[in-house]
Amino acid sequence: MTERRTRRDFIKKSSIAAGLFSIVPRHVLGGAGFIAPSDKLTKAIIGVGSMGMGHFNYEGELVAICDVDKNHLQKAAERAGAGVKTFSDFRELLQEPGIDVVHIATPPHWHGLISVAAAEAGKDIWCEKPMTRTIGEGLAVQKAVERAGSMFRLNTWFRFTSNLYGMGVPVKPIKKLVENRVFGWPLKITLSATTGFNWKFYWSGRTDLEPYPVPPELDYDMWLGPAPFKPYNPDRVHIKFRGYWDYDGGGLGDMGQHYMDPAQYLLEKDHTSPVSVQVDAPQQHPDAVGTWRRLEYTYADGCKIVLDGANQDKNAAFIEGPQGKLYKGMRSDVNNLDSLIASLPDPEPQITTFSESVKRREKFALNEMNGHRSCTLINLGVTALRLGRNLNFNPDTQRFEDDEAANKMIHQPMRGEWSI
Amino acid sequence: MKKRFFGILLLVAILSSSIFSQSKLDTVLMNLPAESTAELELYMSQLAALGPSAIPTMAQQLKNRLPGKFDLKEHYALSGLAKYAGESGDEALRNSVEEGFVKAIDSELDLESEVFLIEQLRYIATDKSLASLASKIKSICEPAIQTIASIESEKALNTLLKALEENQGYCRLAVIKAIGGYSTPEAIQALIEVSTDRDVQIRRVAAEILAESTDSQAFNALMSLAKTDPTLGNRLLIKNVSIQAGEGKTNKIQDLTNHINATGDLQQKTRCIELQMMYLQNEEQKNLQKLFSRGTPEEQMAIVSALKKDAALPLDPYFKYFDKVPAKIQSGLLSASAVRNYKPAISMSRALLTNSDPLLKIEAIRTLSRLAGSESLPDLQKVIVSEKDPTVLKIAISELGHWVGENNLDVLPKILREAPVENKAQLIDLIADRKLSDQLPEMESYLLSSNAEVRKAAFNALPSLASGATVTDLMPFISIAETPEELELIQKAFSEKASEHADVDSLVLPLLNTFGESSPTLLSKILPAIGGNSALAYIKKQNIQSALLDWKHPEAIPELFKILAANPDDKDVFGSIVKLINHPELPVDQRVLYLRKILPFASNLEEKKRVIQLLGNTRSQIAFMVLRDLLNNDSVKVEAARSLVNISLPPAGEEFGLIGKEIKAGLMQADTILDDGADAYTTSILRRYLSIIPEEGGFKSLFNGKDLAGWQGLVENPIARDTMFAVDLLARQIEADAKIPQNWKVEDGAIVFFGEGYDNLCTVESYRDFELLVDWKITKNGDSGIYLRGSPQVQIWDTSMTDIGAEVGSGGLYNNQENESKPLVVADNAVGEWNTFRIIMIQDKVTVYLNGTLVTDRVTLENYWNRELPIFRSGPIELQAHGTNLQFRDIYIREIESAPELNNREKSEGYTTIFNGINLDGWVGNKTDYIVKDGEIVIYPGGSGGHGNLYTEKEYDNFIIRFEFKLTPGANNGLGIHAPLEGDAAYVGKEIQILDNSSPIYANLKDYQYHGSVYGLVPAAKGALKPVGEWNSEEVRVKGNQIWVTVNNKRIVFDDLDTATRNGTLDGKEHPGLKRLKGHIGFLGHGSEVHFRNIRIKEEN
């Protein structure tokens, strides 16, 4: 069968790559913790497709790029200009001295592996959302980053800058209201079209992907990496990968952390996870991501995050508490909200520039700890969706209660040489 | 509880027959994929009940799929079933499903299907699957190994160890990783052996796994690896020792340090210092303290890094050397003290506030603020009034913001006064953030400041501070503004003020009274930001064109169009109009009218694209058709195609956007224009939508733009026509049609009335309930209307005809006498301009939007031809002729299905509706208390106090009924099943309770009385109901004596009445109805108002 022949090709290619890898000498100069505050940080970008190109604009001097698609790599190299090294295997890139920060803009099934490898290579990490594809990979990243003492930032920002979807203001004034218990406690946060957080359902995948020949510019084996082998089809890769569970989780994976991370911050849940997730959705396909109507997360103290994907509750408030509600566009049943906000002190300051975090060796506002927790919200949702049932979760052990199948999704097997 | 029940079912199934029913399997498969989690659970329980042999049968069907495709019902069934059985608790169920999967894997299948099955088996595999899985290692190694690994048993390990011996290459990698999941000595031993394998990849994978082991042999193996391959080995050694240390095994740290000191790089060395710091005790700690006092900066930094991480490390011994270490390390110590909440650092920080090193100073400010809290306020204040470095100042002010709240806001103006001028700007920002509006008068001096930063900050602060001031206070600031940016901020301050007034004119008129004569120039700068008709009239009178161009509100658009008409090439005017068209207050229909009007003025490609782009933001049928025409224009077709797609796609949370044949055709054309590269995302979602877009429904065009096909002349009125003989009517119709050309013609894509009589133009078709779009334009003293169902009329007239009351505007139901006949507001565009009507007629109610503004809101249209009668149920649309020149264009109609509709899925599954939405045909019983209203069955507590019952004419035995219901507070009703027409259905049949059990009057309910309970027999799970007043969906499935009740997609009852009543009924009463397995379905009134709608049923065998 074609499938097996292709696999043998994979082995051959991988062995060559590994051989190269072991004879590249390693020079590590300086490393974490030794950058003078006035120094300019250098960065490398792994994955220079549509998302990675955006990372050109972030802080730091670009010195290296990496992609498994030669066309992407070439386009990016043209934009980067002379002097920027190009790689097709991220492991070789990580051997490069003189890279302070590694940007990971690959599809999510690579985020965990590359983050761990980058941490072990002594790099600091700027990773795209969603942080990891499984809860287990998130824990592995946490451990590796902690062990190596790397600095980690996740690439979403609504907990510290930019106007929050639907609200027209950044999270800061809302945080002031919440932490001063203006709406009371516990709170329910609803993320839906009504509250300004539209869920994209176009990331649904297809179930009828006939095999296509792999285009010559793409190293499909490396693109798949730890993901199970499935025959190539252009719908699986590049901008369309979000529609398949092997790589991401549809609109929930794409937008979930943008939307839920600020919610987690507002609800003061950066160190914990919900105790249950309830799901209302059609049965999900084993490979292709489908749509869903509603996900409801409940924390031990009664706080809730509701993802109203079908926008069923047309009167939903963004934040609802026993003493008041805050609607889209900062409308509220609390009187004189504006002057109330102005009179409240600012919330705890956060480190919101990654270079500052890197130089001071202090955690970025959104890091591997709270980032893992907000990514766990996505992965709880994904698990409940894929199993088609409500789940109970223990936020301390980070395992599901009384559900063996759910627990099998915490760690998922990786293909070939990849493991975490 | 439910699982136990399924277990029993399952056992029964397995014992009673080893052959499952193919027809039952087919029935379940037909339902997949399940629509909800409740359905999924139901179908999977049904599948499980068929026993293990159904699984290989389904697996055989997988052969029928094409390579790469996973689109069969069986894929959903098998994947769902494994996951269903993987929930803890029911061994019998899991066993049975596993048995089935094993059988399936053992049968003849293609490779891809085997992989699929083995991947599903991972959720439930035990030792019983081992033999089959082991037999697959040769052909499909990796998935089989991974599933074996998921078993996590000793036997599984043995299988893996055997596989390690027997397999090579790629497969071996998978086996090694699987063995890595075990920490037994055998597993470690095996990994150590392969860590010296000839294949470098295998060696590396084994070593990576060993690095995570706390077994001392693993460390030794890595140490020997490090000797041959230091790059890989050193990294893994550090990882291994870190992991061991984390678990309390610290004895290898010293060995590691010695090794790394000899062979490692700087980074690795510092890692070792960190490890020593965090895990070594007493003596070694003292050595580290010594190292800190005299080590290299790198070593010192590693120590600081550990101090930050490990809360157990003492800080005193290190702070002892604070004065001796370099500034960078001092700064690190301070940040560690802030993280560790180490209070002695307060005094050190305080001392450093005047240090010359800005970075150290910043760290000191932060540390002080965090450790001393609000007590750091005086220190921060001192820094702010004296600091020269802007970065340091910024940090100090940001920390200040953390300690300034409602109790001490007054400290800010004080600091502002004391601060040197170059420090004021950032403070003004904070004051603006805190909206200290009483500081507005203070701003005047800062607005005039020679320091550019301060001046800028003061202007920036104006909008935030404006709310406490009066407009008169703000007026003097206008002349201070020098740059356009400054003026804009002043304008913003005024528009902030304006937003506090419900009626803008009440703000503008006093301004005009005071400054209108003296200061038109000043006013012209701010009125555009405030807007309103009085302001516009003033500017028109003053003839200040620059102000019009700067206008921020849409009321200026008609005026600007006049200017544009006179100067068609004026780019500024064009730009101003386009900007205003994008104003969010402008309703979509009006926006489309303006965009169509401005499109011909777009003289270059950029302008055209901009207009097309804006059309793409209007979810409008008419905009769609305009864009569709542009697809044939080569220079803008790509832009038009993008906009077309944007308009048509479903809004978030909805299944469909624009639908219908014409939409689909337009989108298909767009698809051919859009490029897969540049528009890949757009085309991917477009194609997805094209695959589901229905051709039925949506808007249909009533006018083709070329001739009057589909239209005919007017004969009498509907009542008169009804009484005519067919032949007479035909003759009269021919006569009327022949007269059309005397009055009506088609010109430039519009229907034009140019005649003198009163001969309406009528659609040939009749329409019942619909949404009608029509554009119209009248001339001076014009008067017309749109007839609905052959009856007058939605009024159109020139609002200047005040003698006949036309000043109320168009869009009213002119001929109404009992009901409202005037529109809610005037929304007409000027005579000679196009207007858009959006008319919605459902039952006898008419809603009209004129240019996007609601002017008639669900008003009953009276029957003009016979006021005794309600309006006809259907009839033609007519364009009224009234003796003046009129034009109509873009006429579209969307018919609205009145009776509740089945969705496609329900249709294919055999559901039918049993309530037509109009009357109670098909129902028997109390038809006085139960009435039909707005498509709902409503029971009002009327004559019999709402106690009557309403039954289906037909009797049903096994069925699924679905309906929606809405409760009123305390409402009580019930769904009778298997009921005779006489007697108390709860006993002589069965009653599924319908009850607002949230009401306090039901505080003492028995479990079997809650909503959804089979009354007196089976209790329902609670909490599925939505709040009173919202619609709930309910499904009741009855099969013999089994009953399922699902409310809002949550299953609340599933039980077998035989089992449930084996030991007697819950309410202790006789229920003869238990023996009745057929009867009427009915609503059982208990004296309260309840609404029902959308009732459909499927009969089952």
Side-chain angles (χ1 to χ4, degrees), chain A residues 11 120 122 147 198 202 207 283 285 293 342-343 346 356 360 362 389 402 405 414 416-418, chain B residues 34-35 70 76 83 86 142 170 177 201 204 235 239 267 271 308 363 366 402 406 434 650 652 685:
Chain A
I11 303 166
E120 287 178 0
R147 272 202 305 269
N198 268 337
Y202 299 119
T207 59
Q283 182 185 3
H285 187 268
R293 293 179 286 269
S343 72
D346 289 346
E356 191 192 341
R360 298 177 64 211
E362 257 183 61
R389 56 176 170 260
D402 302 323
M414 289 188 165
E417 65 187 297
W418 304 107
Chain B
E35 273 294 301
F70 289 84
Y76 285 98
K83 286 169 181 145
E142 189 167 40
Y170 189 84
K177 287 195 302 185
Q201 197 176 23
R204 188 173 59 75
R235 172 171 71 81
K239 184 175 180 178
Q267 193 200 354
R271 279 289 303 136
K308 272 190 193 177
E363 211 54 69
R366 280 184 163 133
H402 187 47
E406 34 195 335
R434 298 310 161 91
I685 57 180

Side-chain angles (χ1 to χ4, degrees), chain A residues 103-397:
Chain A
H103 289 242
I104 304 170
T106 61
H109 65 289
W110 270 115
H111 290 176
L113 270 174
I114 301 181
S115 292
V116 169
E120 287 178 0
K123 310 295 186 195
D124 294 320
I125 300 154
W126 185 318
C127 183
E128 261 306 331
K129 45 81 199 171
M131 181 167 144
T132 55
R133 229 195 102 246
T134 65
I135 293 170
E137 287 171 27
L139 289 167
V141 170
Q142 252 184 20
K143 280 187 199 149
V145 166
E146 288 298 287
R147 272 202 305 269
S150 294
M151 291 296 121
F152 183 98
R153 90 155 271 186
L154 196 69
N155 200 38
T156 167
W157 46 84
F158 295 99
R159 70 161 63 211
F160 55 84
T161 190
S162 291
N163 286 353
L164 212 52
Y165 289 85
M167 303 310 288
V169 298
V171 79
K172 185 166 125 182
I174 304 173
K175 179 73 174 171
K176 286 184 178 188
L177 295 168
V178 169
E179 73 180 4
N180 286 286
R181 298 294 184 263
V182 170
F183 308 116
W185 202 263
L187 299 180
K188 179 172 97 173
I189 291 188
T190 301
L191 306 173
S192 70
T194 294
T195 59
F197 300 79
N198 268 337
W199 290 100
K200 290 189 218 163
F201 285 113
Y202 299 119
W203 293 125
S204 303
R206 286 172 46 196
T207 59
D208 59 344
L209 299 178
E210 61 273 35
Y212 270 75
V214 180
E217 69 272 12
L218 179 68
D219 181 351
Y220 184 53
D221 176 40
M222 196 64 175
W223 188 93
L224 283 173
F229 177 81
K230 303 252 165 79
Y232 174 80
N233 179 296
D235 253 60
R236 284 195 178 277
V237 300
H238 296 344
I239 58 167
K240 297 184 188 169
F241 61 81
R242 293 198 197 279
Y244 303 90
W245 297 118
D246 283 347
Y247 326 117
D248 199 354
L252 184 60
D254 182 28
M255 297 309 282
Q257 228 165 347
H258 277 330
Y259 293 173
M260 288 194 278
D261 183 70
Q264 174 183 290
Y265 169 66
L266 286 171
L267 296 178
E268 299 162 18
K269 297 293 182 282
D270 276 347
H271 304 291
T272 188
S273 292
V275 293
S276 77
V277 52
Q278 292 188 298
V279 56
D280 176 19
Q283 182 185 3
Q284 300 292 309
H285 187 268
D287 181 43
V289 180
T291 63
W292 44 271
R293 293 179 286 269
R294 183 184 164 93
L295 285 164
E296 179 174 323
Y297 302 90
T298 308
Y299 288 95
D301 67 350
C303 282
K304 282 177 190 289
I305 298 177
V306 173
L307 316 186
D308 184 355
N311 204 24
Q312 287 161 328
D313 183 358
K314 298 282 198 296
N315 303 315
F318 171 51
I319 297 179
E320 180 181 340
Q323 280 147 44
K325 295 178 183 178
L326 183 68
Y327 295 92
K328 184 177 171 181
M330 291 296 279
R331 290 175 299 113
S332 177
D333 54 358
V334 174
N335 291 331
N336 299 322
L337 200 69
D338 265 6
S339 47
L340 184 57
I341 292 169
S343 72
L344 294 171
D346 289 346
E348 195 70 37
Q350 316 176 66
I351 297 187
T352 59
T353 316
F354 193 49
S355 56
E356 191 192 341
S357 162
V358 166
K359 288 169 187 169
R360 298 177 64 211
R361 309 314 292 168
E362 257 183 61
K363 281 196 191 306
F364 187 73
L366 177 53
N367 51 61
E368 76 284 356
M369 303 303 283
N370 49 17
H372 166 67
R373 290 294 183 174
S374 55
C375 192
T376 295
L377 292 170
I378 296 173
N379 285 320
L380 289 178
V382 164
T383 311
L385 280 168
R386 293 187 68 182
L387 292 174
R389 56 176 170 260
N390 302 337
L391 299 170
N392 294 322
F393 189 67
N394 181 330
D396 300 323
T397 61

Side-chain angles (χ1 to χ4, degrees), chain B residues 323-375:
Chain B
D323 294 332
K324 300 190 177 63
V325 294
K328 184 168 160 39
I329 304 301
Q330 285 185 325
S331 158
L333 276 176
L334 286 182
S335 102
S337 70
V339 172
R340 299 272 309 272
N341 198 21
Y342 179 69
K343 300 284 185 196
I346 292 179
S347 57
M348 295 176 194
S349 307
R350 229 173 231 141
L352 289 169
L353 292 179
T354 49
N355 193 281
S356 59
D357 182 343
L359 292 163
L360 198 51
K361 203 149 53 172
I362 286 175
E363 211 54 69
I365 292 168
R366 280 184 163 133
T367 307
L368 182 63
S369 167
R370 277 169 225 192
L371 293 179
S374 56
E375 281 167 29

Side-chain angles (χ1 to χ4, degrees), chain A residues 2-188:
Chain A
T2 14
E3 186 197 353
R4 270 151 81 198
R5 192 163 59 243
T6 326
R7 279 200 177 166
R8 218 169 289 133
D9 290 345
F10 287 173
I11 303 166
K12 228 161 66 190
K13 268 189 260 163
S14 315
S15 310
I16 295 166
L20 280 177
F21 163 62
S22 61
I23 54 166
V24 172
R26 183 156 189 212
H27 311 274
V28 178
L29 301 175
F34 304 111
I35 302 139
S38 55
D39 288 351
K40 190 159 187 191
L41 293 174
T42 57
K43 69 176 176 191
I45 306 173
I46 300 174
V48 284
S50 48
M51 194 61 89
M53 292 298 247
H55 285 247
F56 273 65
N57 306 325
Y58 297 144
E59 57 179 332
E61 180 196 348
L62 184 65
V63 293
I65 53 176
C66 176
D67 205 292
V68 296
D69 183 308
K70 290 198 190 79
N71 289 352
H72 285 187
L73 193 61
Q74 195 193 333
K75 253 191 204 169
E78 280 162 18
R79 176 167 167 194
V84 172
K85 294 190 178 175
T86 58
F87 296 86
S88 51
D89 187 325
F90 71 93
R91 290 169 296 191
E92 292 170 32
L93 178 144
L94 291 179
Q95 302 296 309
E96 277 290 302
I99 296 172
D100 299 315
V101 180
V102 171
H103 289 242
I104 304 170
T106 61
H109 65 289
W110 270 115
H111 290 176
L113 270 174
I114 301 181
S115 292
V116 169
E120 287 178 0
K123 310 295 186 195
D124 294 320
I125 300 154
W126 185 318
C127 183
E128 261 306 331
K129 45 81 199 171
M131 181 167 144
T132 55
R133 229 195 102 246
T134 65
I135 293 170
E137 287 171 27
L139 289 167
V141 170
Q142 252 184 20
K143 280 187 199 149
V145 166
E146 288 298 287
R147 272 202 305 269
S150 294
M151 291 296 121
F152 183 98
R153 90 155 271 186
L154 196 69
N155 200 38
T156 167
W157 46 84
F158 295 99
R159 70 161 63 211
F160 55 84
T161 190
S162 291
N163 286 353
L164 212 52
Y165 289 85
M167 303 310 288
V169 298
V171 79
K172 185 166 125 182
I174 304 173
K175 179 73 174 171
K176 286 184 178 188
L177 295 168
V178 169
E179 73 180 4
N180 286 286
R181 298 294 184 263
V182 170
F183 308 116
W185 202 263
L187 299 180
K188 179 172 97 173

Side-chain angles (χ1 to χ4, degrees), chain B residues 910-912 914 956 959-961 1081 1095-1099:
Chain B
Y911 281 85
T912 52
I914 49 172
Y956 299 89
F959 58 88
I960 303 175
I961 182 168
I1081 299 173
I1095 309 164
R1096 57 261 196 238
I1097 196 164
K1098 175 187 175 183
E1099 290 187 73

